[in-house]
Amino acid sequence: MKLEVNGVDISFGTKEVLRDLTLRVEDGEFVSLIGPSGSGKTTLFGVIGGLKQPDAGEIRIEGRITTGERGHVAYMPQQAALLPWRSVSGNIEMALKIAGIDKGTAKAMTLEWLSRVGLAEYARAYPHVLSGGMQQRVSFLRALLSPRTLMLLDEPFGALDALTRLHMQKWLLSIWETHRKSVLLVTHSIEEALYLSDRIIVLSASPATAVDEIVVPFERPRREDLWTDPRFNELKARIYGHLQGDGKAVDDHV
């Protein structure tokens, strides 16, 4: 088992955010969390990453209790958060060196992977010359190349336009298929969750608890016309029913 979240509660003052939340991520599994806005998904990432201490419950990574400990996960935020004064390769190399990888290995890994994802010509460029999608590719590589085997992706494509977002989803899957790190993704898009995931955990409105767990039945690699499959629309309606029941808006488009 890569990740176990066991009975986690957390409140901020009098506001209860997570209540008895339990979930798991297996080795090499891609799991998505979807829930209404403000349901505590990003707070949960803070707890898993050791940035926030829960009021109750525990986090286990690879079977060991890591509650309140940092440095056990690779994290990709909503925005690329690249350092503007460092080159594309410099941003990735710095993250690898912080993770304990020696300078020469970090440089070699960076150049190899930038070439693999079609960004070799931008290695010496600075982030401001990259499009939003390119910046997110660099941010994803930074997390992917980390020695940590659990990746937390916090709405990584939410700020992109619909077409770029679709391209990035396909790109992410193509890279993930060859690497197979364990992934926990937060998204507001039902279609994105169905396209990317092995399982989907649906959260209630705050205080968040798991109200449904869906095993996604589609084979990998995912088909281009997946959304024409009747099962896709049945599952989409099932998830939307939970979210609509909370009375909160959700983005159900790719």
Side-chain angles (χ1 to χ4, degrees):
M1 189 80 66
K2 183 61 64 180
L3 169 69
E4 297 170 80
V5 176
N6 297 319
V8 165
D9 296 343
I10 190 168
S11 300
F12 297 120
T14 59
K15 180 175 176 57
E16 192 178 8
V17 180
L18 303 176
R19 177 187 293 169
D20 194 26
L21 183 61
T22 296
L23 60 88
R24 73 189 190 284
V25 179
E26 304 281 356
D27 287 339
E29 188 179 28
F30 199 124
V31 177
S32 286
L33 286 175
I34 191 165
S37 297
S39 60
K41 301 181 294 296
T42 299
T43 297
L44 174 62
F45 270 18
V47 173
I48 294 170
L51 301 176
K52 301 181 188 300
Q53 184 74 33
D55 301 320
E58 67 177 20
I59 304 298
R60 287 180 178 264
I61 296 177
E62 297 184 334
R64 188 171 78 80
I65 296 176
T66 59
T67 313
E69 296 181 6
R70 304 183 186 187
H72 296 286
V73 303
Y75 176 67
M76 180 178 175
Q78 297 176 21
Q79 302 295 331
L82 303 177
L83 298 175
W85 59 86
R86 285 187 175 269
S87 66
V88 166
S89 60
N91 268 275
I92 299 173
E93 288 172 29
M94 185 186 71
L96 295 181
K97 285 185 281 187
I98 290 173
I101 296 173
D102 68 82
K103 182 177 180 180
T105 302
K107 186 177 183 66
M109 288 174 64
T110 297
L111 293 177
E112 176 189 351
W113 275 92
L114 284 174
S115 179
R116 283 194 193 188
V117 303
L119 291 176
E121 64 185 289
Y122 295 98
R124 295 185 178 182
Y126 288 86
H128 72 274
V129 307
L130 304 182
S131 68
M134 287 179 177
Q135 289 188 28
Q136 287 299 83
R137 289 188 188 196
V138 176
S139 182
F140 180 74
L141 275 186
R142 201 167 49 179
L144 180 73
L145 297 180
S146 163
R148 310 303 173 219
T149 55
L150 173 64
M151 296 178 64
L152 306 182
L153 310 183
D154 190 358
E155 295 188 67
F157 309 138
L160 302 177
D161 65 84
L163 185 58
T164 303
R165 186 170 178 170
L166 180 59
H167 288 325
M168 285 297 299
Q169 290 166 3
K170 293 178 180 177
W171 177 85
L172 184 153
L173 271 190
S174 70
I175 299 297
W176 177 80
E177 289 281 1
T178 64
H179 219 276
R180 289 284 178 155
K181 284 194 175 185
S182 301
V183 172
L184 185 60
L185 167 77
V186 162
T187 180
H188 277 97
S189 170
I190 298 172
E191 292 186 349
E192 181 169 87
L194 286 168
Y195 181 64
L196 296 175
S197 310
D198 296 308
R199 278 189 301 118
I200 299 169
I201 297 167
V202 185
L203 300 182
S204 67
S206 182
T209 190
V211 295
D212 199 0
E213 181 177 320
I214 295 167
V215 176
V216 179
F218 310 116
E219 66 280 357
R220 295 189 184 277
R222 295 284 154 85
R223 305 192 324 266
E224 291 284 328
D225 62 345
L226 186 62
W227 18 84
T228 66
D229 189 314
R231 295 173 298 171
F232 187 92
N233 291 303
E234 289 169 7
L235 291 173
K236 180 178 174 181
R238 173 174 160 182
I239 296 169
Y240 186 72
H242 287 299
L243 301 174
Q244 193 175 42
D246 285 319
K248 300 286 186 73
V250 65
D251 170 20
D252 63 339
H253 301 288
V254 170

